[in-house]
Amino acid sequence: VEIGIDPEMLGKVFEKLLPENFRKGKGSYYTPRFVVSFMSKQIIKNFLVSKSNLIRHENFIYDLVNFDFLDEDVLTEKIEQYQNKEILKTIDSLLTNIKICDPAIGSGAFPVLIMNEIVKIRFRISNFFEGKKTIYFLKREFIENSIYGVDIDKGAIEISKLRLWLSLIVEEKNVNNLNPL
């Protein structure tokens, strides 16, 4: 029997275990997934559009960030229009080098969701280049180089690290290929 642990479940469990007075006194609240997902997409879109050479590609960036709302064929066609241009390389480079700090990381909902959004975009882009990268590689790169977080509760930081690690290891089928972070 194979049993899986959903990284999102950890956040809900962590929130339920917080004493009521700590939650209210320290400002610890669970943010719903759809809110965090919306925030993540807006951050990525605004970050990319804020780069002066990408502002004229705002509609394409919007489609790329929100591709889960588009028909697969429509998005593939839009990306193929940019295949021979430097725009895809620029977007990938910017997302590779992005630095994000969550000043109240809590159980890690934001880091996990923004990582997933960035990885989806970079994975989609990598389909158009030689040396396509795996989701495991992209997640690992993000965790090691792009996300930072602090919290008043040390336990929250440990839950966040565990959540990021669980979301990483589910992408690798061969446990012999797993390396410590």
Side-chain angles (χ1 to χ4, degrees), residues 135-175:
I135 291 177
Y136 175 83
F137 173 84
L138 294 170
K139 282 186 174 184
R140 183 177 184 88
E141 186 177 60
F142 180 87
I143 292 169
E144 290 179 337
N145 302 316
S146 296
I147 193 70
Y148 303 88
V150 295
D151 201 286
I152 194 167
D153 181 3
K154 291 179 184 178
I157 295 168
E158 295 305 315
I159 293 290
S160 298
K161 291 193 300 191
L162 177 59
R163 215 167 155 177
L164 285 163
W165 182 75
L166 286 172
S167 68
L168 171 67
I169 64 166
V170 298
E171 302 301 339
E172 182 56 58
K173 305 299 181 227
N174 184 352
V175 294

mmCIF file of all heavy atoms in Angstrom, residues 135-175:
data_model
loop_
_atom_site.group_PDB
_atom_site.id
_atom_site.type_symbol
_atom_site.label_atom_id
_atom_site.label_comp_id
_atom_site.label_asym_id
_atom_site.label_seq_id
_atom_site.Cartn_x
_atom_site.Cartn_y
_atom_site.Cartn_z
ATOM 1 N N ILE A 135 10.737 18.645 -13.979
ATOM 2 C CA ILE A 135 10.055 19.393 -12.926
ATOM 3 C C ILE A 135 10.852 19.278 -11.627
ATOM 4 O O ILE A 135 10.989 20.256 -10.887
ATOM 5 C CB ILE A 135 8.607 18.904 -12.756
ATOM 6 C CG1 ILE A 135 7.801 19.311 -14.000
ATOM 7 C CG2 ILE A 135 7.978 19.458 -11.488
ATOM 8 C CD1 ILE A 135 6.380 18.830 -14.017
ATOM 9 N N TYR A 136 11.412 18.110 -11.365
ATOM 10 C CA TYR A 136 12.237 17.922 -10.167
ATOM 11 C C TYR A 136 13.400 18.913 -10.174
ATOM 12 O O TYR A 136 13.652 19.589 -9.180
ATOM 13 C CB TYR A 136 12.754 16.480 -10.091
ATOM 14 C CG TYR A 136 13.708 16.260 -8.936
ATOM 15 C CD1 TYR A 136 13.233 16.010 -7.659
ATOM 16 C CD2 TYR A 136 15.083 16.324 -9.120
ATOM 17 C CE1 TYR A 136 14.098 15.818 -6.588
ATOM 18 C CE2 TYR A 136 15.959 16.138 -8.066
ATOM 19 C CZ TYR A 136 15.464 15.887 -6.798
ATOM 20 O OH TYR A 136 16.325 15.715 -5.750
ATOM 21 N N PHE A 137 14.103 19.007 -11.292
ATOM 22 C CA PHE A 137 15.244 19.923 -11.394
ATOM 23 C C PHE A 137 14.798 21.370 -11.164
ATOM 24 O O PHE A 137 15.440 22.117 -10.429
ATOM 25 C CB PHE A 137 15.924 19.793 -12.756
ATOM 26 C CG PHE A 137 16.998 20.819 -12.975
ATOM 27 C CD1 PHE A 137 18.278 20.610 -12.489
ATOM 28 C CD2 PHE A 137 16.722 22.014 -13.646
ATOM 29 C CE1 PHE A 137 19.272 21.565 -12.667
ATOM 30 C CE2 PHE A 137 17.709 22.972 -13.822
ATOM 31 C CZ PHE A 137 18.983 22.746 -13.337
ATOM 32 N N LEU A 138 13.704 21.773 -11.790
ATOM 33 C CA LEU A 138 13.230 23.152 -11.679
ATOM 34 C C LEU A 138 12.796 23.479 -10.250
ATOM 35 O O LEU A 138 13.084 24.567 -9.738
ATOM 36 C CB LEU A 138 12.089 23.400 -12.664
ATOM 37 C CG LEU A 138 12.465 23.335 -14.147
ATOM 38 C CD1 LEU A 138 11.222 23.347 -15.013
ATOM 39 C CD2 LEU A 138 13.414 24.455 -14.513
ATOM 40 N N LYS A 139 12.116 22.552 -9.595
ATOM 41 C CA LYS A 139 11.702 22.784 -8.208
ATOM 42 C C LYS A 139 12.916 22.876 -7.292
ATOM 43 O O LYS A 139 12.987 23.746 -6.430
ATOM 44 C CB LYS A 139 10.761 21.673 -7.723
ATOM 45 C CG LYS A 139 9.343 21.814 -8.218
ATOM 46 C CD LYS A 139 8.449 20.767 -7.584
ATOM 47 C CE LYS A 139 6.997 21.001 -7.974
ATOM 48 N NZ LYS A 139 6.093 20.057 -7.284
ATOM 49 N N ARG A 140 13.840 21.965 -7.476
ATOM 50 C CA ARG A 140 15.038 21.961 -6.636
ATOM 51 C C ARG A 140 15.806 23.274 -6.798
ATOM 52 O O ARG A 140 16.248 23.887 -5.824
ATOM 53 C CB ARG A 140 15.917 20.770 -6.990
ATOM 54 C CG ARG A 140 17.130 20.667 -6.111
ATOM 55 C CD ARG A 140 17.954 19.420 -6.447
ATOM 56 N NE ARG A 140 19.034 19.336 -5.514
ATOM 57 C CZ ARG A 140 18.979 18.728 -4.344
ATOM 58 N NH1 ARG A 140 17.875 18.112 -3.984
ATOM 59 N NH2 ARG A 140 20.006 18.724 -3.531
ATOM 60 N N GLU A 141 15.948 23.722 -8.042
ATOM 61 C CA GLU A 141 16.644 24.976 -8.322
ATOM 62 C C GLU A 141 15.939 26.148 -7.628
ATOM 63 O O GLU A 141 16.583 27.018 -7.038
ATOM 64 C CB GLU A 141 16.703 25.184 -9.838
ATOM 65 C CG GLU A 141 17.511 26.374 -10.276
ATOM 66 C CD GLU A 141 17.590 26.462 -11.783
ATOM 67 O OE1 GLU A 141 16.538 26.580 -12.442
ATOM 68 O OE2 GLU A 141 18.717 26.418 -12.292
ATOM 69 N N PHE A 142 14.608 26.156 -7.675
ATOM 70 C CA PHE A 142 13.841 27.223 -7.035
ATOM 71 C C PHE A 142 14.042 27.201 -5.521
ATOM 72 O O PHE A 142 14.298 28.232 -4.900
ATOM 73 C CB PHE A 142 12.353 27.084 -7.369
ATOM 74 C CG PHE A 142 11.504 28.149 -6.736
ATOM 75 C CD1 PHE A 142 11.320 29.365 -7.378
ATOM 76 C CD2 PHE A 142 10.902 27.956 -5.500
ATOM 77 C CE1 PHE A 142 10.548 30.362 -6.790
ATOM 78 C CE2 PHE A 142 10.139 28.940 -4.907
ATOM 79 C CZ PHE A 142 9.962 30.143 -5.563
ATOM 80 N N ILE A 143 13.925 26.026 -4.913
ATOM 81 C CA ILE A 143 14.068 25.914 -3.460
ATOM 82 C C ILE A 143 15.462 26.345 -3.014
ATOM 83 O O ILE A 143 15.616 27.052 -2.018
ATOM 84 C CB ILE A 143 13.762 24.470 -2.990
ATOM 85 C CG1 ILE A 143 12.283 24.159 -3.184
ATOM 86 C CG2 ILE A 143 14.162 24.273 -1.536
ATOM 87 C CD1 ILE A 143 11.923 22.685 -3.006
ATOM 88 N N GLU A 144 16.476 25.941 -3.746
ATOM 89 C CA GLU A 144 17.850 26.238 -3.345
ATOM 90 C C GLU A 144 18.269 27.682 -3.603
ATOM 91 O O GLU A 144 19.126 28.203 -2.903
ATOM 92 C CB GLU A 144 18.825 25.300 -4.059
ATOM 93 C CG GLU A 144 18.726 23.869 -3.559
ATOM 94 C CD GLU A 144 19.668 22.923 -4.260
ATOM 95 O OE1 GLU A 144 20.104 23.220 -5.407
ATOM 96 O OE2 GLU A 144 19.978 21.875 -3.675
ATOM 97 N N ASN A 145 17.659 28.344 -4.593
ATOM 98 C CA ASN A 145 18.169 29.645 -5.018
ATOM 99 C C ASN A 145 17.191 30.813 -4.944
ATOM 100 O O ASN A 145 17.617 31.961 -5.021
ATOM 101 C CB ASN A 145 18.682 29.556 -6.457
ATOM 102 C CG ASN A 145 19.766 28.521 -6.602
ATOM 103 O OD1 ASN A 145 20.670 28.438 -5.785
ATOM 104 N ND2 ASN A 145 19.654 27.706 -7.635
ATOM 105 N N SER A 146 15.889 30.544 -4.819
ATOM 106 C CA SER A 146 14.942 31.645 -5.018
ATOM 107 C C SER A 146 14.061 31.990 -3.831
ATOM 108 O O SER A 146 13.556 33.099 -3.756
ATOM 109 C CB SER A 146 14.039 31.338 -6.222
ATOM 110 O OG SER A 146 14.811 31.269 -7.395
ATOM 111 N N ILE A 147 13.812 31.076 -2.925
ATOM 112 C CA ILE A 147 12.825 31.348 -1.881
ATOM 113 C C ILE A 147 13.498 31.513 -0.512
ATOM 114 O O ILE A 147 14.401 30.765 -0.157
ATOM 115 C CB ILE A 147 11.735 30.243 -1.832
ATOM 116 C CG1 ILE A 147 10.559 30.680 -0.971
ATOM 117 C CG2 ILE A 147 12.280 28.916 -1.374
ATOM 118 C CD1 ILE A 147 9.735 31.780 -1.561
ATOM 119 N N TYR A 148 13.045 32.521 0.177
ATOM 120 C CA TYR A 148 13.514 32.812 1.528
ATOM 121 C C TYR A 148 12.292 33.100 2.379
ATOM 122 O O TYR A 148 11.295 33.606 1.879
ATOM 123 C CB TYR A 148 14.444 34.033 1.528
ATOM 124 C CG TYR A 148 15.626 33.858 0.619
ATOM 125 C CD1 TYR A 148 15.558 34.212 -0.724
ATOM 126 C CD2 TYR A 148 16.809 33.303 1.090
ATOM 127 C CE1 TYR A 148 16.644 34.022 -1.570
ATOM 128 C CE2 TYR A 148 17.900 33.113 0.259
ATOM 129 C CZ TYR A 148 17.810 33.479 -1.074
ATOM 130 O OH TYR A 148 18.870 33.280 -1.897
ATOM 131 N N GLY A 149 12.362 32.783 3.657
ATOM 132 C CA GLY A 149 11.225 33.060 4.514
ATOM 133 C C GLY A 149 11.606 33.094 5.977
ATOM 134 O O GLY A 149 12.567 32.462 6.399
ATOM 135 N N VAL A 150 10.857 33.870 6.723
ATOM 136 C CA VAL A 150 11.032 33.978 8.171
ATOM 137 C C VAL A 150 9.652 33.908 8.814
ATOM 138 O O VAL A 150 8.635 34.114 8.157
ATOM 139 C CB VAL A 150 11.739 35.291 8.574
ATOM 140 C CG1 VAL A 150 13.155 35.328 8.054
ATOM 141 C CG2 VAL A 150 10.973 36.499 8.082
ATOM 142 N N ASP A 151 9.649 33.623 10.113
ATOM 143 C CA ASP A 151 8.397 33.619 10.851
ATOM 144 C C ASP A 151 8.710 33.746 12.341
ATOM 145 O O ASP A 151 9.794 33.348 12.783
ATOM 146 C CB ASP A 151 7.608 32.336 10.587
ATOM 147 C CG ASP A 151 6.132 32.503 10.896
ATOM 148 O OD1 ASP A 151 5.758 32.546 12.084
ATOM 149 O OD2 ASP A 151 5.341 32.611 9.938
ATOM 150 N N ILE A 152 7.779 34.289 13.065
ATOM 151 C CA ILE A 152 7.935 34.426 14.507
ATOM 152 C C ILE A 152 7.910 33.055 15.178
ATOM 153 O O ILE A 152 8.477 32.852 16.236
ATOM 154 C CB ILE A 152 6.845 35.368 15.074
ATOM 155 C CG1 ILE A 152 7.208 35.793 16.488
ATOM 156 C CG2 ILE A 152 5.477 34.727 15.006
ATOM 157 C CD1 ILE A 152 6.363 36.941 17.001
ATOM 158 N N ASP A 153 7.260 32.090 14.540
ATOM 159 C CA ASP A 153 7.136 30.734 15.071
ATOM 160 C C ASP A 153 8.137 29.820 14.369
ATOM 161 O O ASP A 153 8.025 29.569 13.167
ATOM 162 C CB ASP A 153 5.700 30.236 14.855
ATOM 163 C CG ASP A 153 5.466 28.845 15.401
ATOM 164 O OD1 ASP A 153 6.386 28.264 16.001
ATOM 165 O OD2 ASP A 153 4.344 28.334 15.209
ATOM 166 N N LYS A 154 9.114 29.318 15.110
ATOM 167 C CA LYS A 154 10.139 28.450 14.528
ATOM 168 C C LYS A 154 9.532 27.166 13.967
ATOM 169 O O LYS A 154 10.020 26.618 12.988
ATOM 170 C CB LYS A 154 11.215 28.127 15.558
ATOM 171 C CG LYS A 154 12.053 29.317 15.926
ATOM 172 C CD LYS A 154 13.088 28.963 16.972
ATOM 173 C CE LYS A 154 13.839 30.228 17.365
ATOM 174 N NZ LYS A 154 14.821 29.969 18.404
ATOM 175 N N GLY A 155 8.461 26.688 14.581
ATOM 176 C CA GLY A 155 7.780 25.487 14.082
ATOM 177 C C GLY A 155 7.206 25.698 12.695
ATOM 178 O O GLY A 155 7.191 24.784 11.870
ATOM 179 N N ALA A 156 6.739 26.904 12.428
ATOM 180 C CA ALA A 156 6.185 27.221 11.112
ATOM 181 C C ALA A 156 7.257 27.098 10.038
ATOM 182 O O ALA A 156 7.001 26.592 8.945
ATOM 183 C CB ALA A 156 5.594 28.629 11.114
ATOM 184 N N ILE A 157 8.446 27.541 10.344
ATOM 185 C CA ILE A 157 9.546 27.461 9.380
ATOM 186 C C ILE A 157 9.861 26.006 9.064
ATOM 187 O O ILE A 157 10.071 25.647 7.902
ATOM 188 C CB ILE A 157 10.783 28.210 9.908
ATOM 189 C CG1 ILE A 157 10.463 29.702 10.011
ATOM 190 C CG2 ILE A 157 11.995 27.969 9.021
ATOM 191 C CD1 ILE A 157 11.474 30.514 10.771
ATOM 192 N N GLU A 158 9.848 25.158 10.086
ATOM 193 C CA GLU A 158 10.125 23.735 9.863
ATOM 194 C C GLU A 158 9.025 23.095 9.016
ATOM 195 O O GLU A 158 9.311 22.271 8.150
ATOM 196 C CB GLU A 158 10.300 23.000 11.196
ATOM 197 C CG GLU A 158 11.519 23.450 11.990
ATOM 198 C CD GLU A 158 12.815 23.347 11.203
ATOM 199 O OE1 GLU A 158 13.049 22.317 10.540
ATOM 200 O OE2 GLU A 158 13.599 24.311 11.248
ATOM 201 N N ILE A 159 7.768 23.458 9.259
ATOM 202 C CA ILE A 159 6.659 22.947 8.449
ATOM 203 C C ILE A 159 6.823 23.412 7.008
ATOM 204 O O ILE A 159 6.617 22.646 6.064
ATOM 205 C CB ILE A 159 5.294 23.413 9.009
ATOM 206 C CG1 ILE A 159 5.027 22.777 10.366
ATOM 207 C CG2 ILE A 159 4.166 23.120 8.033
ATOM 208 C CD1 ILE A 159 4.742 21.295 10.342
ATOM 209 N N SER A 160 7.220 24.660 6.813
ATOM 210 C CA SER A 160 7.436 25.192 5.454
ATOM 211 C C SER A 160 8.520 24.416 4.737
ATOM 212 O O SER A 160 8.365 24.060 3.561
ATOM 213 C CB SER A 160 7.828 26.666 5.504
ATOM 214 O OG SER A 160 6.814 27.429 6.064
ATOM 215 N N LYS A 161 9.613 24.153 5.428
ATOM 216 C CA LYS A 161 10.706 23.400 4.807
ATOM 217 C C LYS A 161 10.247 21.986 4.447
ATOM 218 O O LYS A 161 10.547 21.488 3.363
ATOM 219 C CB LYS A 161 11.929 23.367 5.726
ATOM 220 C CG LYS A 161 12.591 24.730 5.865
ATOM 221 C CD LYS A 161 13.959 24.727 6.504
ATOM 222 C CE LYS A 161 14.104 24.204 7.860
ATOM 223 N NZ LYS A 161 15.393 24.458 8.510
ATOM 224 N N LEU A 162 9.496 21.368 5.347
ATOM 225 C CA LEU A 162 8.986 20.029 5.080
ATOM 226 C C LEU A 162 8.035 20.041 3.893
ATOM 227 O O LEU A 162 8.097 19.166 3.022
ATOM 228 C CB LEU A 162 8.278 19.468 6.322
ATOM 229 C CG LEU A 162 7.633 18.093 6.176
ATOM 230 C CD1 LEU A 162 8.665 17.041 5.792
ATOM 231 C CD2 LEU A 162 6.899 17.711 7.467
ATOM 232 N N ARG A 163 7.190 21.039 3.831
ATOM 233 C CA ARG A 163 6.229 21.158 2.737
ATOM 234 C C ARG A 163 6.940 21.327 1.393
ATOM 235 O O ARG A 163 6.561 20.708 0.397
ATOM 236 C CB ARG A 163 5.344 22.368 3.022
ATOM 237 C CG ARG A 163 3.957 22.207 2.591
ATOM 238 C CD ARG A 163 3.131 23.306 3.190
ATOM 239 N NE ARG A 163 1.988 23.501 2.336
ATOM 240 C CZ ARG A 163 1.028 24.346 2.577
ATOM 241 N NH1 ARG A 163 1.049 25.086 3.648
ATOM 242 N NH2 ARG A 163 0.030 24.465 1.750
ATOM 243 N N LEU A 164 7.957 22.175 1.359
ATOM 244 C CA LEU A 164 8.733 22.358 0.123
ATOM 245 C C LEU A 164 9.440 21.064 -0.263
ATOM 246 O O LEU A 164 9.450 20.679 -1.434
ATOM 247 C CB LEU A 164 9.732 23.500 0.287
ATOM 248 C CG LEU A 164 9.145 24.891 0.249
ATOM 249 C CD1 LEU A 164 10.113 25.910 0.833
ATOM 250 C CD2 LEU A 164 8.746 25.280 -1.167
ATOM 251 N N TRP A 165 10.016 20.393 0.718
ATOM 252 C CA TRP A 165 10.729 19.152 0.443
ATOM 253 C C TRP A 165 9.777 18.076 -0.084
ATOM 254 O O TRP A 165 10.086 17.385 -1.057
ATOM 255 C CB TRP A 165 11.434 18.676 1.717
ATOM 256 C CG TRP A 165 12.233 17.430 1.509
ATOM 257 C CD1 TRP A 165 13.434 17.305 0.879
ATOM 258 C CD2 TRP A 165 11.884 16.119 1.946
ATOM 259 N NE1 TRP A 165 13.854 16.003 0.897
ATOM 260 C CE2 TRP A 165 12.916 15.248 1.551
ATOM 261 C CE3 TRP A 165 10.795 15.600 2.648
ATOM 262 C CZ2 TRP A 165 12.890 13.886 1.817
ATOM 263 C CZ3 TRP A 165 10.782 14.242 2.924
ATOM 264 C CH2 TRP A 165 11.820 13.412 2.508
ATOM 265 N N LEU A 166 8.594 17.940 0.532
ATOM 266 C CA LEU A 166 7.614 16.953 0.062
ATOM 267 C C LEU A 166 7.155 17.260 -1.363
ATOM 268 O O LEU A 166 6.996 16.355 -2.185
ATOM 269 C CB LEU A 166 6.404 16.897 0.998
ATOM 270 C CG LEU A 166 6.618 16.205 2.333
ATOM 271 C CD1 LEU A 166 5.403 16.399 3.235
ATOM 272 C CD2 LEU A 166 6.921 14.733 2.142
ATOM 273 N N SER A 167 6.954 18.545 -1.647
ATOM 274 C CA SER A 167 6.521 18.900 -3.007
ATOM 275 C C SER A 167 7.630 18.644 -4.026
ATOM 276 O O SER A 167 7.361 18.461 -5.207
ATOM 277 C CB SER A 167 6.046 20.348 -3.066
ATOM 278 O OG SER A 167 7.121 21.225 -2.864
ATOM 279 N N LEU A 168 8.869 18.596 -3.570
ATOM 280 C CA LEU A 168 9.999 18.286 -4.448
ATOM 281 C C LEU A 168 10.119 16.789 -4.685
ATOM 282 O O LEU A 168 10.208 16.329 -5.822
ATOM 283 C CB LEU A 168 11.295 18.825 -3.839
ATOM 284 C CG LEU A 168 12.595 18.406 -4.515
ATOM 285 C CD1 LEU A 168 12.696 19.005 -5.910
ATOM 286 C CD2 LEU A 168 13.789 18.798 -3.664
ATOM 287 N N ILE A 169 10.110 16.011 -3.623
ATOM 288 C CA ILE A 169 10.407 14.580 -3.778
ATOM 289 C C ILE A 169 9.315 13.813 -4.513
ATOM 290 O O ILE A 169 9.594 12.759 -5.070
ATOM 291 C CB ILE A 169 10.737 13.897 -2.439
ATOM 292 C CG1 ILE A 169 9.544 13.911 -1.503
ATOM 293 C CG2 ILE A 169 11.958 14.522 -1.810
ATOM 294 C CD1 ILE A 169 9.703 12.968 -0.318
ATOM 295 N N VAL A 170 8.096 14.329 -4.551
ATOM 296 C CA VAL A 170 7.053 13.624 -5.301
ATOM 297 C C VAL A 170 7.332 13.632 -6.799
ATOM 298 O O VAL A 170 6.745 12.858 -7.537
ATOM 299 C CB VAL A 170 5.644 14.190 -5.018
ATOM 300 C CG1 VAL A 170 5.271 14.031 -3.563
ATOM 301 C CG2 VAL A 170 5.511 15.626 -5.467
ATOM 302 N N GLU A 171 8.248 14.493 -7.236
ATOM 303 C CA GLU A 171 8.567 14.593 -8.667
ATOM 304 C C GLU A 171 9.642 13.605 -9.105
ATOM 305 O O GLU A 171 9.847 13.428 -10.295
ATOM 306 C CB GLU A 171 9.017 16.016 -9.010
ATOM 307 C CG GLU A 171 8.012 17.095 -8.690
ATOM 308 C CD GLU A 171 6.682 16.927 -9.408
ATOM 309 O OE1 GLU A 171 6.626 16.232 -10.455
ATOM 310 O OE2 GLU A 171 5.684 17.483 -8.918
ATOM 311 N N GLU A 172 10.328 12.981 -8.171
ATOM 312 C CA GLU A 172 11.408 12.054 -8.524
ATOM 313 C C GLU A 172 10.951 10.628 -8.264
ATOM 314 O O GLU A 172 10.615 10.275 -7.136
ATOM 315 C CB GLU A 172 12.678 12.368 -7.720
ATOM 316 C CG GLU A 172 13.845 11.504 -8.048
ATOM 317 C CD GLU A 172 14.236 11.520 -9.512
ATOM 318 O OE1 GLU A 172 14.541 12.607 -10.044
ATOM 319 O OE2 GLU A 172 14.233 10.441 -10.132
ATOM 320 N N LYS A 173 10.921 9.822 -9.309
ATOM 321 C CA LYS A 173 10.447 8.443 -9.194
ATOM 322 C C LYS A 173 11.498 7.511 -8.584
ATOM 323 O O LYS A 173 11.172 6.561 -7.916
ATOM 324 C CB LYS A 173 10.033 7.905 -10.580
ATOM 325 C CG LYS A 173 9.006 8.757 -11.294
ATOM 326 C CD LYS A 173 7.716 8.867 -10.516
ATOM 327 C CE LYS A 173 6.704 9.691 -11.268
ATOM 328 N NZ LYS A 173 6.050 10.677 -10.484
ATOM 329 N N ASN A 174 12.756 7.797 -8.822
ATOM 330 C CA ASN A 174 13.836 6.943 -8.347
ATOM 331 C C ASN A 174 14.439 7.559 -7.085
ATOM 332 O O ASN A 174 15.130 8.572 -7.153
ATOM 333 C CB ASN A 174 14.904 6.790 -9.430
ATOM 334 C CG ASN A 174 16.008 5.840 -9.042
ATOM 335 O OD1 ASN A 174 16.090 5.388 -7.900
ATOM 336 N ND2 ASN A 174 16.867 5.536 -9.998
ATOM 337 N N VAL A 175 14.207 6.933 -5.926
ATOM 338 C CA VAL A 175 14.695 7.489 -4.668
ATOM 339 C C VAL A 175 16.214 7.545 -4.603
ATOM 340 O O VAL A 175 16.771 8.306 -3.821
ATOM 341 C CB VAL A 175 14.140 6.715 -3.443
ATOM 342 C CG1 VAL A 175 12.651 6.884 -3.325
ATOM 343 C CG2 VAL A 175 14.522 5.254 -3.497
#
